[in-house]
C-alpha cells in the first residue's frame, strides 16, 4: 500500500465517521472489497440523495454500475478514465477507482446534497433531435427551461433568507414595530382631531379654493409689481433724457450765441486781421458747433427711440388688460379685496389657534408615547429576566423570528410545490407529445420495415452473386498460378538449353581454330611455305618465344643479383643522408632561436636606454 492510498483511506474513514456515523479501522476498511465496497459507495450516494436506494439488494451488478455512474455524472464528477474502462473497473470493484470517488463525495458532503437536490430539477430531459423540431415539443422545452431558471431563483432566495443573521432580523423587526406604532399614533391623533369637525368636506373644499386664490393673487401681485417697475423705469429714463436734452440744447444755444458775437466782432475788424490767431480760434469754434449739432441730433434720435419704447409698453399693457391677463382693480374691487383679506386673516388666526391646540395635544401624546415605551421596555426587561431565571432566555424573540421564518419557508415551499407541479405537468405534456410523435411515426416505421425486408432480399441476391464471382475469381487465380509455374519451368529449361548451345558453339569454334592451325602447320611442314610473314611454322614460333622468355628470365635474375649486392651500401648511404638532414634542421632551428634571443636582448637594451629611471640597481 502506497502512502497516497493510505492517506486517502484515512480521510475516507474520518469522513464516514463524521457524516454517516460509520466507524472503521484502517485495516477493516482496507479489507472491504467486491460487492461490499459497492454497497458502501451506494450508501454514501443514498445519504447524499434520497432518490438512490438504501441497499443494493437483488439489483444486478450492471444496473448498479449504470446507476452509480449516472449519479456521479449528474454531480459533475470528473471521470479519470474512459466510460468503457470505468464500467469494467467499477464492475470489478477496483479500489483505485472507487476510493477517489468516495473521497470526492465525502469531502464536500453538504455541498453534494445541495448539488444533488438541484440536479434533480435542473437536469435537462434528453429528447431526440427529430422530436425537438416539433413546435409543440420545442415550446414545452422552452417552458421547462424557464421553470428551471425560476426554480434556481427561488432556491437562491431561500438560501439568502436562510442565511440571514438573527440579530439583523431582530433589529429590523424592532425598527418596523417602532415605525408601525408611531404611524398608528399619528393616524389615531389625526382621526380624533378630524372627528370633531362637522363639515370636513366643505372645509377641505374651501381650503383648496383659498390656496388656489392665494396662489393666483401672488402671481397677479408679482406681475403688477413687475409692470409698475418697468413703467417707473421708462418714465425715469424719459425724464432724464429730456433733462439732458434740454440742458444740452441751452448750452449749445449759449455757445452758438457767443460764437456768433465773436464772429461778428471779427468780421467788423477787417481783412487785415484775417490771418490772426483769433481767426484760427473761430474756425475751431465752428468745428465744435458742428460736432455739438451732431451730438444733439443723436440725442434726439435716442429720445425718439425711448418714446417709441414707452408707447409700445403702454400698448402692451392695454392689450394685456383687455385680454384679462392683467386686471387692474377698481376702487370698489380693491375694497372688496381688502375685506376678503381681512376675512382670510381671521380664518388664518382661527386655524393658527386650532394648530396650537393640536400641537399641545401632540406634545401630550408624545409624552404619553414615551411613558408607554418606557413601561413597555420595563415589561420586556422583566419578561427577559423571568425567561433567564427559568432558563429560556430569548424565547419570545426566537419564537417570533421562528414564526416569521416558518411563514417565509411555508411560502417558499408552496412556491416550490407549484413549481414542481408545473414541471411534472410539463414533463407529462412532453411525454404525451413524444407518444403522439411516436404514433405519427408508426406508419413511417412500418414502411421502413418493409423497405428493410426488400433490402434484405436484394442483399441476399447480391451476396449470392458476390459468392459466385469470388469463386470464379479464385478458380481463375489458381489456373493463372499453375500456368505461371509451368511457364517458369519452361523458361528455366530454355535457359539451360541456350547455355548448352553457346558452350557447344564455343567448343566447336576452339576446335575449328585448333584444327585450322594443325592443317596450316601440316601444310607448312610438308610444302615449306610460311604460315605468315612473321610465323613460318607454329613450332618455330613457339620455340622462339620460349627462347626469348628464357633469356628475359636470365637477365632478370642477373639484375636481381646486382641489386642485391648494391642494396646494403645504398641503404647505409640513405641513412647517412637522413642523419645529415636532421642535423642540418637542428642547426637551423638553433640558429633561429639564437637570432630571436639576440633580437630580444637588443630590444630590451633599447628600452632600458630609453627609460633609464626604470632600471633597478641591486646592491
Amino acid at each position: 500500500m502506497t502512502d497516497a492510498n493510505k492517506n486517502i483511506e484515512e480521510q475516507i474513514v474520518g469522513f464516514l465517521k463524521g457524516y454517516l456515523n460509520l466507524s472503521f479501522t484502517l485495516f477493516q476498511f482496507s479489507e472491504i472489497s467486491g460487492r461490499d465496497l459497492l454497497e458502501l459507495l451506494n450508501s454514501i450516494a443514498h445519504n447524499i440523495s434520497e432518490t438512490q436506494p438504501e441497499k443494493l439488494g437483488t439489483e444486478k451488478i450492471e444496473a448498479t454500475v449504470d446507476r452509480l455512474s449516472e449519479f456521479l455524472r449528474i454531480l459533475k464528477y470528473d471521470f479519470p478514465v474512459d466510460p468503457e474502462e470505468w464500467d469494467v473497473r467499477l464492475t470489478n470493484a477496483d479500489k483505485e477507482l472507487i476510493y477517489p470517488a468516495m473521497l470526492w463525495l465525502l469531502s464536500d458532503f453538504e455541498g453534494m446534497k445541495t448539488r444533488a437536490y438541484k440536479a434533480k430539477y435542473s437536469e435537462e430531459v434528453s429528447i431526440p433531435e427529430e422530436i425537438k423540431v416539433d413546435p409543440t415539443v420545442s415550446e414545452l422545452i422552452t417552458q421547462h427551461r424557464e421553470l428551471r431558471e425560476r426554480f434556481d431563483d427561488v432556491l437562491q432566495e431561500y438560501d439568502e433568507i436562510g442565511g440571514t443573521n438573527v440579530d439583523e432580523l431582530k433589529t429590523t423587526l424592532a425598527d418596523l414595530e417602532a415605525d408601525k406604532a408611531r404611524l398608528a399614533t399619528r393616524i389615531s391623533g389625526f382621526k380624533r382631531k378630524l372627528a370633531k369637525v362637522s363639515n370636513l368636506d366643505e372645509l377641505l373644499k374651501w381650503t383648496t379654493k383659498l390656496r388656489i386664490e392665494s396662489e393666483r393673487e401672488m402671481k397677479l401681485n408679482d406681475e403688477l409689481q413687475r409692470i409698475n417697475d418697468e413703467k417707473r423705469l421708462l418714465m425715469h429714463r424719459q425724464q432724464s433724457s429730456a433733462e439732458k436734452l434740454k440742458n444740452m440744447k441751452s448750452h449749445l444755444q449759449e455757445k452758438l450765441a457767443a460764437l456768433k458775437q465773436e464772429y461778428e466782432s471779427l468780421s467788423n475788424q477787417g481783412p487785415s486781421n484775417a490771418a490772426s490767431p483769433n481767426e484760427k480760434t473761430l474756425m475751431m469754434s465752428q468745428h465744435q458747433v458742428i460736432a455739438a449739432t451732431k451730438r444733439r441730433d443723436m440725442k434726439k434720435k435716442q429720445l425718439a427711440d425711448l418714446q417709441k419704447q414707452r408707447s409700445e409698453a403702454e400698448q402692451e399693457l392695454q392689450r394685456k388688460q383687455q385680454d384679462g391677463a392683467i386686471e387692474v382693480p377698481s376702487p370698489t374691487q380693491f375694497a372688496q379685496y381688502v375685506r376678503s383679506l381681512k376675512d382670510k386673516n381671521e380664518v388664518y388666526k382661527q386655524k393658527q389657534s386650532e394648530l396650537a391646540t393640536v400641537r399641545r395635544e401632540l406634545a401630550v401624546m408624545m409624552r404619553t408615547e414615551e411613558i408607554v415605551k418606557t413601561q413597555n421596555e420595563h415589561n420586556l426587561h422583566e419578561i427577559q429576566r423571568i425567561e433567564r431565571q427559568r432558563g429560556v432566555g430569548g424565547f419570545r424573540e426566537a419564537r417570533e423570528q421562528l414564526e416569521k421564518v416558518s411563514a417565509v419557508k411555508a411560502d417558499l415551499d408552496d412556491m416550490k410545490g407549484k413549481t414542481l407541479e408545473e414541471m411534472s405537468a410539463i414533463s407529462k405534456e412532453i411525454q404525451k407529445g413524444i407518444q403522439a410523435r411516436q404514433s405519427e411515426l408508426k406508419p413511417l416505421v412500418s414502411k421502413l420495415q418493409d423497405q428493410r425486408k426488400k433490402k434484405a432480399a436484394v442483399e441476399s441476391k447480391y451476396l449470392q452473386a458476390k459468392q459466385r464471382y469470388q469463386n470464379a475469381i479464385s478458380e481463375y487465380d489458381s489456373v493463372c498460378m499453375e500456368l505461371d509455374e509451368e511457364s517458369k519451368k519452361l523458361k528455366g529449361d530454355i535457359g539451360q538449353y541456350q547455355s548448352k548451345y553457346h558452350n557447344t558453339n564455343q567448343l566447336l569454334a576452339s576446335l575449328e581454330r585448333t584444327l585450322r592451325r594443325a592443317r596450316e602447320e601440316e601444310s607448312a611442314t610438308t610444302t615449306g611455305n610460311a604460315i605468315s610473314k612473321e610465323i613460318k611454322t607454329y613450332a618455330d614460333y613457339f620455340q622462339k618465344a620460349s627462347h626469348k622468355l628464357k633469356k628475359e628470365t636470365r637477365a632478370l635474375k642477373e639484375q636481381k643479383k646486382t641489386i642485391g649486392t648494391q642494396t646494403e651500401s645504398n641503404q647505409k648511404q640513405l641513412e647517412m643522408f637522413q642523419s645529415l638532414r636532421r642535423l642540418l634542421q637542428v642547426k637551423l632551428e638553433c640558429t633561429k632561436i639564437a637570432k630571436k634571443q639576440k633580437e630580444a636582448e637588443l630590444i630590451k637594451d633599447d628600452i632600458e636606454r630609453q627609460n633609464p629611471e626604470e632600471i633597478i640597481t641591486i646592491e
Side-chain angles (χ1 to χ4, degrees):
M1 182 187 298
T2 61
D3 295 336
N5 290 334
K6 187 175 181 181
N7 189 15
I8 291 173
E9 289 180 359
E10 290 177 355
Q11 294 181 20
I12 293 172
V13 169
F15 286 137
L16 289 174
K17 186 175 181 180
Y19 293 130
L20 305 183
N21 199 15
L22 297 175
S23 298
F24 292 103
T25 62
L26 289 177
F27 178 75
Q28 290 174 349
F29 183 75
S30 62
E31 291 297 320
I32 299 173
S33 62
R35 192 172 180 84
D36 295 335
L37 190 60
L38 291 176
E39 185 76 33
L40 182 59
L41 180 61
N42 182 75
S43 178
I44 295 171
H46 172 71
N47 282 276
I48 290 174
S49 176
E50 294 180 355
T51 57
Q52 300 296 319
E54 186 176 1
K55 293 183 179 180
L56 296 180
T58 59
E59 187 180 21
K60 293 183 179 180
I61 188 67
E62 292 82 4
T64 303
V65 169
D66 294 338
R67 179 172 54 77
L68 292 176
S69 300
E70 181 65 17
F71 178 70
L72 291 173
R73 185 192 65 78
I74 291 173
L75 294 181
K76 309 298 183 186
Y77 177 64
D78 188 9
F79 292 95
V81 294
D82 296 335
E84 296 179 356
E85 185 179 354
W86 169 270
D87 293 340
V88 174
R89 293 176 65 180
L90 188 61
T91 304
N92 297 327
D94 190 353
K95 294 182 179 180
E96 294 182 357
L97 198 71
I98 295 175
Y99 283 175
M102 284 184 176
L103 182 61
W104 183 75
L105 291 173
L106 293 170
S107 59
D108 188 12
F109 194 70
E110 298 298 330
M112 290 298 166
K113 286 184 177 180
T114 305
R115 188 180 296 184
Y117 178 74
K118 289 182 179 179
K120 180 180 177 182
Y121 304 106
S122 301
E123 187 70 16
E124 292 187 0
V125 181
S126 59
I127 300 172
E129 293 294 333
E130 60 271 12
I131 297 176
K132 284 184 179 180
V133 179
D134 189 83
T136 306
V137 177
S138 62
E139 185 178 357
L140 292 174
I141 291 171
T142 305
Q143 293 178 3
H144 184 257
R145 189 181 298 110
E146 292 176 355
L147 287 173
R148 284 194 288 109
E149 293 176 356
R150 184 180 173 187
F151 171 75
D152 293 336
D153 296 337
V154 171
L155 187 62
Q156 186 176 1
E157 291 178 1
Y158 176 74
D159 293 337
E160 291 176 357
I161 292 172
T164 307
N165 192 1
V166 178
D167 296 332
E168 293 179 359
L169 290 174
K170 287 182 179 180
T171 306
T172 306
L173 180 62
D175 295 338
L176 291 174
E177 287 180 351
D179 293 338
K180 182 180 178 181
R182 195 178 300 112
L183 290 173
T185 305
R186 288 183 179 180
I187 291 169
S188 61
F190 281 116
K191 284 182 178 180
R192 285 195 302 272
K193 292 174 186 177
L194 295 174
K196 298 177 182 179
V197 180
S198 59
N199 52 351
L200 179 61
D201 296 334
E202 188 176 358
L203 179 62
L204 292 174
K205 181 179 178 181
W206 284 107
T207 305
T208 305
K209 288 183 178 181
L210 178 62
R211 180 177 56 79
I212 294 170
E213 291 295 329
S214 299
E215 291 177 355
R216 186 169 178 273
E217 182 183 358
M218 290 176 65
K219 289 180 181 179
L220 290 174
N221 288 331
D222 293 338
E223 188 70 20
L224 182 62
Q225 184 68 27
R226 186 179 64 79
I227 292 171
N228 290 329
D229 292 339
E230 290 180 355
K231 184 177 179 181
R232 284 195 300 272
L233 180 62
L234 290 173
M235 291 177 69
H236 178 69
R237 290 174 66 183
Q238 182 182 5
Q239 186 177 1
S240 61
S241 299
E243 289 178 356
K244 286 181 181 180
L245 183 62
K246 185 177 180 181
N247 294 330
M248 189 178 293
K249 187 176 181 181
S250 60
H251 177 69
L252 291 174
Q253 286 177 356
E254 291 176 358
K255 195 171 184 179
L256 182 61
L259 290 173
K260 283 181 178 180
Q261 290 177 2
E262 188 176 359
Y263 176 72
E264 289 176 356
S265 63
L266 290 172
S267 61
N268 291 328
Q269 288 179 2
S272 59
N273 297 327
S276 63
N278 293 327
E279 187 176 356
K280 294 181 180 179
T281 305
L282 179 61
M283 293 175 67
M284 291 175 64
S285 300
Q286 289 177 355
H287 289 300
Q288 290 178 359
V289 169
I290 293 169
T293 305
K294 289 181 179 180
R295 286 196 296 273
R296 184 190 64 183
D297 295 337
M298 188 181 298
K299 294 297 181 181
K300 284 182 178 180
K301 187 177 180 181
Q302 291 179 358
L303 179 61
D305 293 336
L306 292 173
Q307 289 176 353
K308 185 178 179 181
Q309 291 179 2
R310 179 184 176 185
S311 62
E312 289 177 355
E314 290 177 352
Q315 291 176 2
E316 182 70 19
L317 178 61
Q318 292 176 2
R319 185 177 62 78
K320 288 185 177 181
Q321 288 178 355
Q322 291 175 1
D323 294 339
I326 298 174
E327 183 179 355
V328 180
S330 61
T332 56
Q333 291 177 352
F334 187 74
Q336 292 177 0
Y337 176 68
V338 171
R339 283 196 299 274
S340 65
L341 286 178
K342 289 180 180 179
D343 296 337
K344 290 177 182 178
N345 191 13
E346 291 177 358
V347 173
Y348 173 74
K349 290 180 180 179
Q350 184 180 359
K351 297 296 181 185
Q352 284 290 106
S353 62
E354 292 179 359
L355 181 61
T357 305
V358 170
R359 285 177 178 173
R360 287 193 295 273
E361 292 179 357
L362 178 62
V364 173
M365 294 302 297
M366 290 176 68
R367 178 59 182 165
T368 305
E369 181 184 4
E370 291 177 358
I371 294 170
V372 171
K373 282 184 178 179
T374 54
Q375 291 178 357
N376 186 22
E377 290 177 357
H378 178 71
N379 293 330
L380 290 176
H381 289 307
E382 187 67 21
I383 291 170
Q384 291 176 358
R385 185 181 63 79
I386 294 170
E387 288 178 352
R388 285 195 296 272
Q389 286 179 358
R390 297 184 180 181
V392 289
F395 173 74
R396 187 177 60 83
E397 292 84 355
R399 185 180 63 185
E400 292 176 356
Q401 182 65 25
L402 184 61
E403 289 176 355
K404 289 185 178 181
V405 173
S406 299
V408 174
K409 185 177 181 299
D411 295 336
L412 290 175
D413 291 337
D414 294 337
M415 192 180 297
K416 286 164 61 178
K418 292 179 181 178
T419 304
L420 294 176
E421 290 176 358
E422 291 176 357
M423 291 175 68
S424 61
I426 289 172
S427 300
K428 290 179 181 179
E429 290 179 0
I430 291 172
Q431 290 178 358
K432 289 180 181 178
I434 292 171
Q435 291 175 359
R437 189 65 177 171
Q438 287 177 353
S439 61
E440 291 177 0
L441 292 174
K442 276 184 180 180
L444 298 176
V445 171
S446 61
K447 290 181 181 179
L448 180 62
Q449 290 176 355
D450 296 337
Q451 293 295 328
R452 284 180 177 174
K453 290 179 181 178
K454 292 179 181 179
K455 178 193 172 186
V458 173
E459 190 173 3
S460 63
K461 292 180 181 179
Y462 166 74
L463 292 174
Q464 291 176 2
K466 185 178 179 181
Q467 186 66 33
R468 289 196 298 271
Y469 172 75
Q470 289 178 354
N471 293 332
I473 289 293
S474 61
E475 291 177 0
Y476 173 75
D477 291 337
S478 62
V479 171
C480 288
M481 289 175 66
E482 291 177 357
L483 292 174
D484 288 337
E485 290 177 357
E486 188 175 356
S487 64
K488 287 179 181 179
K489 289 180 181 180
L490 293 174
K491 286 180 180 179
D493 295 339
I494 290 169
Q496 291 178 2
Y497 290 138
Q498 285 180 353
S499 63
K500 288 180 180 180
Y501 171 73
H502 289 300
N503 291 329
T504 305
N505 287 334
Q506 291 292 332
L507 183 59
L508 289 173
S510 62
L511 290 173
E512 287 178 355
R513 285 195 299 273
T514 305
L515 182 60
R516 188 178 65 251
R517 287 179 180 178
R519 288 175 181 175
E520 289 176 355
E521 182 70 21
E522 184 180 1
S523 63
T525 52
T526 55
T527 59
N529 295 326
I531 296 171
S532 64
K533 293 180 180 180
E534 297 177 356
I535 301 172
K536 186 176 181 181
T537 60
Y538 286 110
D540 294 337
Y541 176 74
F542 288 124
Q543 190 174 4
K544 288 179 181 179
S546 63
H547 288 306
K548 187 177 180 180
L549 289 173
K550 287 179 180 180
K551 287 180 181 181
E552 289 177 357
T553 303
R554 284 196 298 270
L556 289 172
K557 286 180 179 180
E558 290 176 357
Q559 187 177 0
K560 182 180 179 182
K561 288 180 181 180
T562 55
I563 290 170
T565 56
Q566 294 176 359
T567 300
E568 294 180 0
S569 60
N570 292 333
Q571 187 71 25
K572 290 180 180 179
Q573 189 177 4
L574 180 61
E575 290 177 357
M576 291 172 67
F577 276 112
Q578 289 177 353
S579 299
L580 180 61
R581 185 178 180 181
R582 286 196 296 272
L583 182 61
L584 292 173
Q585 287 178 354
V586 171
K587 188 175 181 181
L588 180 61
E589 290 177 359
C590 292
T591 305
K592 289 180 179 179
I593 292 169
K595 187 177 180 181
K596 288 181 180 179
Q597 290 178 355
K598 189 175 181 180
E599 290 177 355
E601 289 177 357
L602 291 173
I603 292 169
K604 187 176 181 181
D605 293 338
D606 293 337
I607 292 170
E608 289 176 354
R609 283 195 298 272
Q610 291 175 1
N611 300 318
E613 65 275 3
E614 294 181 0
I615 300 172
I616 300 173
T617 305
I618 301 174
E619 295 180 357

